[in-house]
């Protein structure tokens, strides 16, 4: 009963533009020189490590960046090269927005409901509108095209467009949606796959209507209304949906998505004590929904502060169920280097009652420096064996394709990218050549605007 993880392949323009207010790593590394080749290789190595543990693993390709249609919509005209050059001269911050490789964090691509929980037995995806951050709000149309190419069979998969970000008159809608990063599916056993029924913990940052509490410093990206709409669209039985509000104080301390402060898998939940507004009720709800099977580890502020959770991304680890049984925690090396965090992990995995039996630390430093840990880099898709067999095969992990992707990265990616390099028209050509070849490696056909 596989739960597949689809990792975002880091795009050739990976850079540090400081675009995400409220994401401490993003803003504090603004202007730093990035290493796109290392970033992509670190991502491929993570996917390979998971695949070699026997986890069903896939890839989602990056989007075209810089995204010339975005710049044209903002008024820049001329050939594609002239558009980029003019944007670089007149509005470098707009070029940076159109150049971000942020689609690598596929936990924000969509919210996924497996057939066991959806109304019609198909696997449902709602593309996230990502409207809180302008550089991410341009992702949804391509995300929908990509998901429809990877999960192509409409008899098995339903890919819904993003919820409307605005109303017809341009005012913001009630729907701020950041995808799976604010959704945790739990099951009564260790199995998180697509054949078992789950319960759905939807975590929101605020209510769009203004009711209830909200952060004062940083934006609450996910609205309750968006999560409700996703649950309704996917036909999830309301009695299997649980709702919790993220603590506004946590958002104000840099917890811009719920997956920065809690993570769950099967009957296991790891959560910081300051994650939710009404923490006791939220945990109680999950406990009741799982019929007492839940194993919850609540991390107190005295052991790991919210600030350290944000710095180390302890909670942004992946929890995976291994084919031989038991779970593993896949953490970033930043967590290993923090004595308090590594001690906590150590004592957790040595507790015989805990379903997590081992911890594996991986280097995803380039992504971490933009606020993306192991869990951000992947979209969980619980599938049945039959559904897995129906995924576009080139997007599923194999040793040969992994090697082909490593060669592809080495051939096409720059070692370094400084902020001023985004103005280089050659970067646009390099990116298109790279993505053109990538669609052949992954067997995806023409999914990008520049290919059509
Ligand atoms: O949306 N960072 C991303 C990180 C997303 C992490 N995802 C999850 N937690 N699931 C974001 O804030 C920074 C880009 C820049 O500043 O150049 C960025 O978009």
């Amino acid at each position: 009963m596989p739960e597949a993880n689809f990792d975002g392949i880091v795009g050739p323009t990976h850079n540090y533009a400081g675009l995400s207010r409220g994401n401490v790593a993003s803003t504090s590394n603004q202007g730093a020189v990035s290493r796109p080749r290392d970033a992509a290789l670190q991502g491929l190595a993570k996917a390979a490590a998971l695949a070699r543990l026997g986890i069903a693993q896939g890839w989602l390709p990056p989007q075209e960046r810089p995204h010339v249609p975005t710049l044209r919509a903002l008024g820049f005209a001329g050939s594609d090269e002239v558009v980029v050059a003019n944007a670089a001269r007149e509005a470098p911050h707009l070029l940076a927005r159109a150049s971000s490789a942020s689609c690598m964090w596929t936990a924000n691509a969509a919210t996924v409901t497996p057939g066991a929980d959806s109304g019609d037995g198909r696997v449902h995806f709602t593309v996230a509108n990502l409207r809180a951050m302008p550089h991410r709000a341009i992702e949804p149309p391509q995300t929908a095209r990509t998901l429809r190419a990877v999960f192509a069979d409409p008899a098995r998969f339903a890919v819904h467009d993003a919820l409307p970000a605005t109303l017809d008159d341009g005012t913001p809608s009630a729907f701020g949606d950041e995808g799976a990063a604010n959704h945790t599916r739990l099951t009564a056993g260790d199995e998180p796959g697509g054949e078992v029924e789950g319960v759905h913990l939807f975590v929101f940052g605020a209510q769009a209507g203004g009711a209830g509490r909200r952060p004062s410093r940083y934006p609450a990206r996910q609205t309750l209304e968006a999560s409700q709409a996703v649950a309704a669209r996917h036909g999830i039985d309301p009695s299997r949906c649980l709702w919790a509000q993220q603590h506004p104080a946590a958002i104000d301390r840099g917890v811009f998505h719920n997956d920065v402060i809690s993570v769950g898998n099967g009957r296991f939940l790891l959560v910081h004590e300051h994650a939710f507004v009404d923490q006791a009720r939220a945990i109680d709800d999950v406990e009741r929904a799982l019929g007492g099977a839940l194993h919850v580890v609540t991390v107190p502020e005295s052991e790991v502060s919210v600030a350290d959770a944000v710095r180390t991304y302890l909670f942004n680890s992946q929890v995976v169920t291994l084919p031989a049984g038991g779970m593993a925690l896949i953490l970033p090396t930043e967590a290993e280097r923090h004595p308090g965090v590594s001690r906590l992990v150590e004592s957790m995995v040595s507790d015989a009652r805990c379903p997590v039996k081992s911890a594996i630390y991986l280097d995803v430093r380039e992504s971490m420096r933009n606020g993306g840990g192991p869990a951000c880099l992947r979209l969980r898709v619980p599938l049945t064996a039959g559904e897995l067999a129906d995924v576009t095969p080139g997007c599923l992990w194999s040793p040969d394709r992994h090697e082909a992707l490593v060669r592809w990265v080495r051939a096409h990616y720059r070692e370094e990218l400084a902020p001023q390099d985004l103005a280089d028209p050659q970067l646009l050509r390099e990116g298109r050549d790279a993505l053109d070849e990538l669609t052949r490696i992954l067997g995806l056909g023409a999914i990008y605007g520049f290919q059509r």
Side-chain angles (χ1 to χ4, degrees):
M1 275 187 282
E3 178 196 69
N5 282 284
F6 284 81
D7 280 43
I9 296 175
V10 179
T13 60
H14 159 67
N15 74 99
Y16 301 117
L19 298 172
S20 281
R21 199 165 72 82
N23 169 343
V24 179
S26 156
T27 50
S28 58
N29 288 310
Q30 177 172 23
V33 174
S34 67
R35 303 186 63 80
R37 189 185 299 170
D38 286 351
L41 293 175
Q42 286 163 4
L44 293 178
K46 174 171 94 70
L50 274 278
R52 288 180 180 128
L53 288 173
I55 310 293
Q57 180 68 51
W59 300 284
L60 295 174
Q63 301 197 0
E64 181 194 356
R65 296 290 183 271
H67 193 240
V68 176
T70 293
L71 295 171
R72 289 192 188 282
L74 294 170
F76 297 96
S79 68
D80 288 355
E81 284 75 10
V82 168
V83 165
V84 170
N86 288 347
R89 201 178 45 249
E90 292 162 30
H93 63 290
L94 295 183
L95 177 60
R97 282 183 186 173
S99 300
S100 175
S102 53
C103 67
M104 69 168 86
W105 299 297
T106 51
N108 307 117
T111 308
V112 185
T113 303
D117 300 339
S118 73
D120 63 3
R122 293 185 297 166
V123 183
H124 283 249
F125 301 75
T126 286
V127 172
N129 66 23
L130 295 169
R131 68 132 188 244
M133 298 289 143
H135 70 290
R136 303 214 62 180
I138 61 175
E139 293 175 31
Q142 180 62 54
T143 302
R145 276 195 291 278
T146 301
L147 290 177
R148 287 184 184 123
V150 180
F151 304 98
D153 180 357
R156 290 196 189 269
F157 306 113
V159 177
H160 305 273
D161 284 335
L163 294 164
T166 56
L167 304 176
D168 287 346
D169 64 2
T171 56
S173 73
F175 309 123
D177 185 13
E178 301 274 320
N182 298 309
H183 165 255
T184 309
R185 179 174 178 267
L186 297 141
T187 60
D190 283 359
E191 276 301 341
E195 273 136 4
V196 289
E197 263 190 334
V199 301
H200 299 260
L201 175 61
F202 289 95
V203 180
F204 57 95
Q207 296 183 45
R213 298 168 64 177
R214 48 177 60 237
S216 54
R217 193 165 168 220
Y218 292 142
R221 297 199 201 183
Q222 183 82 30
T223 63
L224 169 64
E225 290 83 345
S227 302
Q228 287 170 329
V230 169
R233 267 182 170 189
H234 294 193
I236 307 176
D237 178 348
S239 72
R240 308 190 70 84
C241 293
L242 311 172
W243 310 92
Q245 183 174 0
Q246 242 193 309
H247 209 296
I251 296 178
D252 280 338
R253 289 164 79 187
V255 182
F256 57 96
H257 288 139
N258 176 60
D259 67 2
V260 176
I261 198 152
S262 90
V263 59
N265 179 64
R267 61 185 184 91
F268 173 74
L269 183 65
L270 175 65
V271 60
H272 192 277
E273 70 166 324
H274 295 324
F276 309 129
V277 167
D278 194 345
Q279 182 106 1
R281 185 198 49 80
I283 304 296
D284 231 49
D285 285 352
V286 180
E287 235 151 33
R288 209 157 335 110
L290 293 189
L294 182 71
H295 183 91
V296 58
V297 175
T298 300
V299 178
E301 176 79 15
S302 57
E303 269 184 59
V304 178
S305 66
V306 171
D308 279 346
V310 171
R311 255 191 295 274
T312 63
Y313 267 33
L314 161 65
F315 298 94
N316 203 260
S317 45
Q318 284 177 253
V319 191
V320 292
T321 299
L322 300 174
M327 298 182 192
L329 198 57
I330 316 295
L331 302 117
T333 45
E334 285 78 357
E336 186 174 29
R337 281 198 294 270
H338 184 288
V341 169
S342 54
R343 218 177 309 120
L344 179 118
V345 170
E346 189 78 359
S347 79
M348 192 169 73
V349 301
S350 56
D351 176 351
R353 291 160 307 167
C354 182
V356 178
K357 302 295 179 203
S358 57
I360 299 168
Y361 293 92
L362 296 177
D363 177 11
V364 288
R365 176 175 190 272
E366 283 292 309
S367 168
M368 283 288 286
R369 282 162 52 83
N370 250 336
C376 302
L377 284 161
R378 62 88 174 92
L379 182 65
R380 304 170 91 161
V381 186
L383 296 169
T384 62
E387 288 157 353
L388 183 64
D390 220 11
V391 172
T392 296
C395 292
L396 291 178
W397 196 91
S398 78
D400 287 352
R401 262 190 300 276
H402 168 74
E403 290 308 327
L405 288 174
V406 168
R407 281 194 300 276
W408 168 80
V409 168
R410 291 195 193 285
H412 290 280
Y413 281 54
R414 294 189 185 188
E415 214 163 318
E416 291 190 342
L417 208 59
Q420 64 272 20
D421 295 334
L422 297 180
D424 180 358
Q426 178 63 24
L427 190 62
L428 175 72
R429 285 190 288 274
E430 285 170 21
R432 287 179 176 177
D433 288 348
L435 295 193
D436 206 35
E437 192 182 328
L438 180 64
T439 51
R440 284 193 292 276
I441 298 174
L442 300 180
L444 279 174
I447 56 167
Y448 298 114
F450 74 88
Q451 292 176 310
R452 279 181 267 145

